[in-house]
């Protein structure tokens, strides 16, 4: 075939071919699929495993699958996992040690080759989350070499959002619903009287090479217009918003707000929000040995700032109260992340709202803090 045009149109057969081409290039294809009454991210081998005809109903502390009549594959908001699960896994072995017969210790750093992933269906908010984790884990003086290895071998197929969920607020965070930079291929799903199809465009040289191998046709004006309109309509249907203020300043000026007591009375400090968040990156390490004491391993695993021992010192935990731990998470995510990494740590995916067992809503808390700040300021000037 001739070289692919910058924009092309593929059908469902093109998506099938995309998965086959990526697998043929030695990549493990990860995409959304229906399992255990949820749309989860898992290894897939064909387009028939995508969630065609399924959407989701989400609210604070609520997630349900629902059938769709239009047969869309990507008309669902963020699920319980993010791509962090694969790029920054929950548990990773760092090294192992063996005691030889003569009593000497031999240590070996884990040198498992990084997998070569192809992520199919990366939402714009999650695309930004990957960029945020790139900055955290590969920028600066202390880079995570294991993360870098997985990230450099990953191929990203982004899908623009055309139907946000009730807990989405990517517009407030400037992360969607249109895709930004950082993808290899981008798709926009269009279903209308002209049929079920995807507007495709390449964002890298490898993306162009993959697109060139798919059954496709040149992009037409009708499809391009429909794609733009659906993304623009999605921007106007966000289920949540952040207050239209500088969130970094808001967090800094409300550290003593009464609202923190209100949320502390509801928060279970379970850490679900940090586990579901696509940008939370904190880890700890643990050593394990076999029963003989001759073999030991060090494992890195996810940690949460909601854990009371997260800040444990000889004199006790620095943040002993649920109030202080929720405030730390929220103010870091929306405020002090800028000081460390030059951006917000929140991408507006809404996962922390959906997967909080008591339905705490970070956007509601931000609005409440802003209202309290305004009321306090008015009282001070009256």
């Amino acid at each position: 075939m001739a070289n692919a045009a910058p924009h092309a149109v593929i059908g469902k057969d093109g998506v099938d071919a995309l998965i086959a081409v990526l697998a043929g290039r030695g990549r493990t294809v990860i995409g959304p699929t229906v399992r255990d009454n949820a749309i989860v991210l898992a290894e897939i081998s064909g387009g028939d495993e995508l969630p065609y005809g399924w959407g989701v109903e989400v609210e604070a502390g609520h997630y349900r699958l629902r059938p769709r009549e239009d047969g869309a594959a990507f008309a669902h908001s963020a699920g319980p996992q993010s791509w962090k699960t694969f790029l920054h896994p929950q548990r990773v072995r760092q090294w192992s040690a063996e005691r030889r017969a003569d009593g000497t210790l031999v240590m070996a750093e884990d040198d498992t080759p990084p997998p070569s992933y192809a992520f199919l269906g990366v939402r714009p908010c999650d695309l930004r989350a990957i960029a945020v984790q790139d900055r955290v884990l590969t920028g600066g003086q202390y880079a995570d070499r294991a993360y870098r290895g997985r990230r450099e071998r990953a191929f990203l197929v982004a899908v623009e959002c055309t139907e946000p969920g009730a807990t989405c607020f990517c517009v407030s965070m400037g992360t969607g619903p249109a895709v930004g930079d950082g993808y290899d291929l981008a798709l926009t799903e269009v279903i209308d009287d002209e049929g079920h199809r995807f507007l495709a465009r390449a964002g890298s040289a490898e993306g162009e090479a993959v697109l060139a191998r798919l059954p496709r046709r040149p992009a037409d004006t009708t499809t391009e217009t429909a794609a733009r309109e659906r993304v623009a309509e999605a921007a106007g249907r966000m289920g949540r918003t952040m207050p239209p203020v500088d969130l970094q300043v808001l967090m800094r000026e409300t550290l003593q707000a009464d609202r923190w007591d209100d949320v502390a009375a509801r928060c279970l400090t379970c850490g679900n929000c940090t586990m579901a968040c696509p940008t939370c990156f904190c880890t700890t390490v643990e050593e394990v040995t076999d029963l003989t004491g001759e073999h030991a391993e060090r494992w890195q695993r996810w940690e949460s700032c909601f854990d009371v021992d997260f800040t444990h010192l000889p004199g006790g935990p620095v943040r002993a109260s649920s109030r202080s731990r929720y405030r730390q998470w929220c103010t870091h995510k929306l405020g002090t992340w800028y000081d460390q990494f030059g951006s917000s740590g929140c991408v507006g995916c809404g996962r922390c709202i959906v997967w909080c067992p008591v339905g705490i809503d970070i956007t509601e808390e931000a609005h409440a803090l802003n209202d309290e700040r305004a009321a306090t300021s008015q009282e001070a000037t009256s």
Side-chain angles (χ1 to χ4, degrees), residues 267-269 304-311 317-330:
C267 180
L268 303 178
T269 66
S304 172
C305 55
F306 282 90
D307 187 339
V308 70
D309 289 330
F310 183 76
T311 57
V318 174
R319 303 186 189 99
S321 67
S322 58
R323 180 186 193 274
S324 63
R325 297 203 292 281
Y326 183 88
R327 186 180 65 177
Q328 156 62 21
W329 174 76
C330 189

Side-chain angles (χ1 to χ4, degrees), residues 66-131:
R66 63 177 180 85
R68 297 181 59 90
E69 295 182 357
D70 60 7
F74 300 106
H76 54 85
S77 54
Q81 302 155 288
S82 70
W83 307 98
K84 176 178 77 172
T85 304
F86 304 94
L87 291 176
H88 183 47
Q90 188 171 8
R91 197 164 182 265
V92 177
R93 186 173 61 185
Q94 294 187 311
W95 53 255
S96 60
E98 300 283 349
R99 189 190 305 276
R100 291 177 173 172
D102 61 3
T104 61
L105 290 176
V106 178
M107 300 183 65
E109 185 176 359
D110 190 271
D111 59 356
T112 304
S116 180
Y117 286 123
F119 295 154
L120 173 58
V122 181
R123 297 297 181 177
C125 58
D126 278 342
L127 191 65
R128 179 66 66 85
I130 291 172

Side-chain angles (χ1 to χ4, degrees), residues 288-357:
V288 295
T289 60
D290 65 6
L291 292 177
T292 67
E294 304 299 317
H295 178 84
E297 296 179 347
R298 169 174 282 187
W299 289 78
Q300 175 184 279
R301 64 171 176 82
W302 289 353
E303 178 62 295
S304 172
C305 55
F306 282 90
D307 187 339
V308 70
D309 289 330
F310 183 76
T311 57
H312 186 81
L313 295 174
V318 174
R319 303 186 189 99
S321 67
S322 58
R323 180 186 193 274
S324 63
R325 297 203 292 281
Y326 183 88
R327 186 180 65 177
Q328 156 62 21
W329 174 76
C330 189
T331 56
H332 185 215
K333 190 68 57 178
L334 300 179
T336 55
W337 202 292
Y338 284 97
D339 301 323
Q340 284 185 284
F341 308 115
S343 73
S344 173
C346 177
V347 296
C349 69
R351 287 186 178 92
C352 61
I353 304 172
V354 174
W355 299 101
C356 175

Side-chain angles (χ1 to χ4, degrees), residues 4-82:
H7 289 68
V9 175
I10 64 174
K12 294 173 68 174
D13 62 331
V15 175
D16 295 342
L18 172 61
I19 295 171
V21 168
L22 291 171
R25 295 170 75 94
R27 296 187 179 276
T28 300
V29 182
I30 307 295
T33 190
V34 176
R35 294 184 185 173
D36 300 323
N37 296 314
I39 295 178
V40 301
L41 301 176
E43 183 176 350
I44 58 175
S45 57
D48 59 338
E49 296 179 65
L50 294 171
Y52 285 109
W54 287 102
V56 296
E57 173 188 295
V58 294
E59 250 305 338
H62 175 88
Y63 179 98
R64 292 289 185 277
L65 278 180
R66 63 177 180 85
R68 297 181 59 90
E69 295 182 357
D70 60 7
F74 300 106
H76 54 85
S77 54
Q81 302 155 288
S82 70

Side-chain angles (χ1 to χ4, degrees), residues 182-204:
Y183 60 85
D184 294 289
L185 278 179
L187 305 178
T188 310
E189 189 170 23
V190 176
I191 304 174
D192 57 20
D193 294 340
E194 301 294 324
H196 191 166
R197 59 206 187 279
F198 303 84
L199 180 67
R201 55 198 184 278
S204 69

